[in-house]
Amino acid sequence: RELFGRIHQNYNNMDFFVTFSAGIAKSSDAMNSDDLISLADKALYTAKERGRNQVVSLRTHNKLNN
């Protein structure tokens, strides 16, 4: 994340900075691929809601809000 934070671009006198957010999900043997992807997606959006530039990990015992 720190390396991404150092990336700086300038275009038409506008500054752009890069952040990195990721969602990680850990599955159990009983979890199907759709549920695992949903869990990882929820973790990613949790990272973004918390201010971006971070990694959030969720496990299968967390309930999915569909």
Side-chain angles (χ1 to χ4, degrees):
R1 288 181 310 118
E2 291 177 20
L3 290 175
F4 276 99
R6 294 181 196 157
I7 296 172
H8 171 255
Q9 295 292 318
N10 184 290
Y11 179 75
N12 286 342
N13 293 322
M14 294 173 41
D15 290 322
F16 295 91
F17 297 90
V18 176
T19 62
F20 177 83
S21 297
I24 299 172
K26 183 176 181 180
S27 71
S28 68
D29 292 336
M31 183 175 233
N32 67 43
S33 60
D34 288 337
D35 287 342
L36 182 61
I37 291 168
S38 293
L39 189 62
D41 193 50
K42 181 178 179 181
L44 172 61
Y45 282 96
T46 299
K48 290 181 176 187
E49 288 171 2
R50 291 181 181 173
R52 301 180 186 245
N53 204 31
Q54 57 189 289
V55 176
V56 172
S57 175
L58 296 178
R59 297 181 187 182
T60 57
H61 68 269
N62 293 2
K63 295 187 178 190
L64 294 175
N65 295 325
N66 294 328

